[in-house]
Amino acid sequence: MSIHDTDAPLRYWREGGIAHIRFNRPAVLNAIDVPTANGFLEACQAASEDKEVRVVVLSGEGRAFIAGGDLAAMKANPVDTAQALIKAMHGGIALLAGMNAPVLASLQGAVAGGGLGVALAADLAIAAEGTRFNLAYVNIGASSDCSTSWALPRLVGMRKAMEIALLGETFDAAEALRIGLVNRVVPAASLEEETAKLARRLADGPPLALGRLKRLIRDSLDRSLQEQLDAEAAGFAACAATEDFAEGVAAFFDKRPARYQGR
């Protein structure tokens, strides 16, 4: 089944510069099984190889973003199923992190387990009021996957990450905003509209500069200050040589919106 099919467990399509990756098993709150994970990897590969993609939007069909891994699918053969699922999900997450295009997660309903990992893997996240978050792994006797143990302490600090992981408690969108897991919380009825506005704003931005900024920020915690200063200097010089930089400066002095071409 193709990821471009509307009834596939994981859908992928592109509208202009905006690529959409949507988990599409609403009857089970988009719980991730192996076909879904394989579709996710395929979609991430498609987005990463498409030079026209300027932003990637992650979303879930129906009442939830992702309620975690599909435990029913794992029950009969837990080890082999978990390994196959995790291999594909981790491959997709690594591709999203390596892309120059910003990745935006649009969240509603349940965001749990691996679903929280997918949300944390995005560069930005917007959540509907009423969204509920839970790392959940400890509640089923498992440790984490989908980059949660890497992303959580970087976003919320070590102590808060330990609380979220070890206690397995549910928290709401307001708390997720307070601790820095999401960037914005909007009324549920406005989630699609606000996601589209933010995606369009990113897609209209300077793609080369956005890619450099993403790389600088993501790599900063693994560098010394001097290494980061050197990377910033190299990045700015590279941007200054582009047509986008010339356009951005001209637009500033002309007092008009810039029209970036990615060159």
Side-chain angles (χ1 to χ4, degrees):
M1 182 176 292
S2 170
I3 53 174
H4 299 282
D5 292 341
T6 58
D7 57 350
L10 191 293
R11 295 183 59 207
Y12 175 78
W13 72 98
R14 178 166 64 81
E15 297 173 325
I18 302 173
H20 293 268
I21 296 176
R22 177 165 295 175
F23 291 82
N24 189 38
R25 302 182 73 211
V28 291
L29 302 182
N30 298 318
I32 304 168
D33 61 2
V34 173
T36 305
N38 289 338
F40 177 69
L41 175 58
E42 185 181 346
C44 292
Q45 289 170 334
S48 67
E49 294 169 1
D50 188 341
K51 302 302 183 185
E52 298 300 316
V53 171
R54 293 197 173 187
V55 60
V56 178
V57 177
L58 306 174
S59 63
E61 187 69 34
R63 296 183 294 115
F65 177 63
I66 305 169
D70 190 333
L71 297 181
M74 292 185 204
K75 188 174 181 181
N77 190 353
V79 174
D80 289 346
T81 302
Q83 287 178 337
L85 190 157
I86 289 169
K87 181 179 180 180
M89 292 301 298
H90 284 193
I93 286 170
L95 286 169
L96 292 178
M99 289 184 66
N100 285 331
V103 179
L104 170 63
S106 181
L107 311 174
Q108 84 280 2
V111 182
L116 182 53
V118 174
L120 296 178
D123 302 304
L124 297 169
I126 182 170
E129 293 173 349
T131 304
R132 308 289 284 178
F133 300 81
N134 193 318
L135 193 58
Y137 294 99
V138 71
N139 299 329
I140 59 167
S143 58
S144 64
D145 58 10
C146 292
S147 81
T148 52
S149 62
W150 185 92
L152 264 178
R154 284 169 166 77
L155 289 172
V156 305
M158 186 67 68
R159 189 77 73 184
K160 190 65 178 179
M162 287 290 188
E163 177 186 338
I164 292 169
L166 301 183
L167 298 184
E169 295 176 341
T170 298
F171 54 96
D172 62 14
E175 176 67 1
L177 180 63
R178 188 187 71 81
I179 64 178
L181 284 188
V182 302
N183 301 94
R184 299 179 182 180
V185 175
V186 299
S190 303
L191 178 64
E192 185 174 350
E193 178 185 358
E194 294 300 322
T195 298
K197 286 181 182 177
L198 194 51
R200 175 48 54 196
R201 179 174 175 181
L202 291 167
D204 288 343
L208 301 176
L210 289 175
R212 288 279 183 172
L213 282 166
K214 174 175 173 173
R215 292 269 57 80
L216 283 169
I217 293 170
R218 278 189 168 270
D219 294 344
S220 65
L221 294 176
D222 298 319
R223 290 188 178 130
S224 67
L225 173 60
Q226 188 58 56
E227 289 170 334
Q228 189 70 6
L229 290 171
D230 292 343
E232 287 187 340
F236 196 99
C239 288
T242 65
E243 293 179 16
D244 277 355
F245 183 80
E247 166 62 13
V249 173
F252 174 81
F253 284 107
D254 293 344
K255 296 181 173 55
R256 61 172 174 80
R259 296 179 291 273
Y260 298 111
Q261 301 298 318
R263 296 192 295 266

